[in-house]
Amino acid sequence: MTDSSRTPEPPEGLSDRVVADLEGLSPKELRKSIVFARELLHSHEATEFPIDPEPGDDILRVTEHEGYTAVVKQHVCEEGCDDCPHGPYLYHVTEETLPDGTHETHWSFIGRVNADAESDD
Ligand SMILES: [Zn+2]
């Protein structure tokens, strides 16, 4: 079979391995793959955003706002120092959807906050 006109072009960025696997599937298996891929996507979206703490980061408070998520966190150095813990600091976290469908989070440093004060301003 050399008729390639009926073979769909795989999307750019999809690995050859995945393309080859998908091309080898039966329609029934393909349908199951779509369902599974959709579930995987949902679980990624649920866990990737908004908080991805770095080692030593201590998330104190997460508040959802219109258009951004306010995160208060403090940082403890791996070896500890006289100034530990650092912060707490307030960040505004926003999520951007890139043209390829992946998500990118942006952490904007706002400033130091008082850990004990529940400020509403
Ligand atoms: Zn420190």
Side-chain angles (χ1 to χ4, degrees), residues 55-88:
D57 274 359
D58 190 7
I59 304 289
L60 300 178
R61 195 161 67 234
V62 177
T63 317
E64 296 289 343
H65 291 273
E66 186 79 27
Y68 70 94
T69 304
V71 177
V72 176
K73 68 175 183 178
Q74 61 185 8
H75 183 79
V76 178
C77 299
E78 210 167 298
E79 306 199 350
C81 69
D82 291 343
D83 296 328
C84 277
H86 303 271

